[in-house]
Amino acid sequence: FHRIETPTAAALFPAEMLAWPPRSYAERMYNIKRWTKMPKGGHFAALEQPDLLVDDIRAFARTLR
């Protein structure tokens, strides 16, 4: 097992096809820097909720500067 240290973000959309693991589990494998529970949207987030997704990606990217 090798933990991935690259800063990682997760955007959790409630209508996703599969359930997300708990954050505590994901943090064992990834360097989670942003964990966003979205209010709506699903598997096709870029089509369903593009503004929510873009805003979250931009917010994460700003933390990497």
Side-chain angles (χ1 to χ4, degrees), residues 31-53:
N31 181 13
I32 302 292
K33 295 297 185 186
R34 185 172 180 85
W35 186 268
T36 307
K37 291 186 178 182
M38 296 295 186
K40 55 187 172 181
H43 185 71
F44 299 104
L47 297 174
E48 297 170 16
Q49 300 300 325
D51 293 337
L52 285 176
L53 182 60

Side-chain angles (χ1 to χ4, degrees), residues 10-13 16 18-22 35:
L12 289 68
F13 288 87
E16 182 59 78
L18 300 172
W20 282 85
W35 186 268

Side-chain angles (χ1 to χ4, degrees), residues 6 8-9 15 22 30 32-33 39 43 45 55 58 61-62 64:
T6 303
T8 304
Y30 300 96
I32 302 292
K33 295 297 185 186
H43 185 71
D55 290 347
R58 286 179 176 156
R62 281 192 294 274
L64 303 176

